[in-house]
Amino acid sequence: QVQLVQSGAEVKKPGASVKVSCKVSGYTLPELSMHWVRQAPGKGLEWMGGFDPENGETIYTQKFQGRVTMTDDTSTDTAYMELSSLRSEDTAVYYCATSPKFMVRGELATGFDNWGQGTLVTVSS
Amino acid sequence: DIQLTQSPSFLSASVGGRVTITCRASQGINTYLAWYQQKPGKAPKLLIYAASSLQTGVPSRFSGSGSGTEFTLTISGLQPEDFATYYCQQLSGVFLTFGGGTKVDIK
């Protein structure tokens, strides 16, 4: 069973960067496709990006292009999401979520069957 | 990008009742759709994938159907623990978008 444990809440000033971690246990990172989803207060879920095994690369939504970087440390099975140039609208809970590596989209897709507990990032001056 | 429109955005229902939520895609996505349940302060939970396949451990009162551009999530015999917000997600395009959500409240 996959378990995802995220780093703790963060408070940042506008213009700063934040780096959220997601520690995987039960499986190894190379066996999974890692994704990041955020949820602003009182709002819906927003997929930010994740690993696309069909392309063999990490895909970011256009909204976050140039501001977000998602990386993996396979030596510790920990994934990271760094968001830069923070603004107040980035205040949200950030979740990591996984699917089995080759079951991300298309006929084999099984959805995000494991989620971290969420990390609240507050951007305030 | 593929857009998903859920309706209604809010509904009230009674315990024991039946609820149907619709998710429409801006283009055909075959059956590449998942449904999630989210309770306040908690991470989403996967209910259904491939439009109609029940995730392990999810009660059989949840069911999904549809293909192409129109999909439904049905909850038959609502239980108190089912009052939550539900989201659809398309798993077809490179960008894995979510619908706007449907909040199911107690009547």
Side-chain angles (χ1 to χ4, degrees):
Chain A
Q1 179 74 346
V2 176
Q3 288 197 316
L4 306 174
V5 178
Q6 298 183 224
S7 49
E10 302 262 12
V11 179
K12 296 291 182 181
K13 293 196 181 303
S17 298
V18 69
K19 193 169 187 177
V20 179
S21 68
C22 175
K23 168 71 175 171
V24 175
S25 61
Y27 277 71
T28 63
L29 255 180
E31 297 176 286
L32 304 169
S33 175
M34 178 66 71
H35 298 260
W36 292 86
V37 177
R38 81 174 187 181
Q39 187 170 39
K43 302 296 185 182
L45 302 173
E46 181 175 29
W47 181 78
M48 299 176 67
F51 183 75
D52 181 4
E54 292 192 29
N55 293 317
E57 60 184 4
T58 298
I59 305 294
Y60 306 123
T61 63
Q62 194 161 5
K63 178 176 180 178
F64 299 104
Q65 280 280 0
R67 281 212 300 145
V68 70
T69 305
M70 298 173 187
T71 55
D72 293 343
D73 181 346
T74 55
S75 68
T76 61
D77 286 319
T78 301
Y80 298 91
M81 186 283 300
E82 183 170 21
L83 187 62
S84 62
S85 303
L86 289 169
R87 34 218 191 219
S88 58
E89 310 90 86
D90 294 318
T91 294
V93 175
Y94 290 77
Y95 294 101
C96 57
T98 63
S99 63
K101 186 165 187 176
F102 295 102
M103 298 181 176
V104 176
R105 55 188 179 98
E107 62 182 1
L108 297 180
T110 57
F112 296 166
D113 54 358
N114 291 284
W115 293 71
Q117 82 276 21
T119 296
L120 174 62
V121 175
T122 302
V123 183
S124 173
S125 54
Chain B
D1 297 6
I2 299 171
Q3 310 300 318
L4 295 179
T5 303
Q6 281 185 241
S7 60
S9 53
F10 178 87
L11 68 88
S12 291
S14 302
V15 173
R18 178 185 171 101
V19 158
T20 298
I21 298 168
T22 298
C23 178
R24 289 188 174 88
S26 59
Q27 63 189 74
I29 56 171
N30 204 309
T31 58
Y32 309 150
L33 187 101
W35 289 97
Y36 299 86
Q37 175 193 68
Q38 188 182 31
K39 297 181 180 179
K42 299 294 186 182
K45 173 187 172 184
L46 177 66
L47 298 176
I48 286 170
Y49 62 94
S52 61
S53 295
L54 207 61
Q55 175 69 354
T56 303
V58 173
S60 58
R61 63 181 179 271
F62 292 91
S63 63
S65 66
S67 67
T69 61
E70 187 152 335
F71 302 85
T72 59
L73 172 71
T74 300
I75 313 171
S76 303
L78 266 172
Q79 297 299 300
E81 60 267 28
D82 300 336
F83 292 96
T85 301
Y86 294 85
Y87 295 91
C88 55
Q89 181 195 26
Q90 63 82 15
L91 305 170
S92 178
V94 173
F95 304 105
L96 306 177
T97 47
F98 287 93
T102 296
K103 184 175 181 179
V104 178
D105 210 347
I106 300 174
K107 183 182 284 185

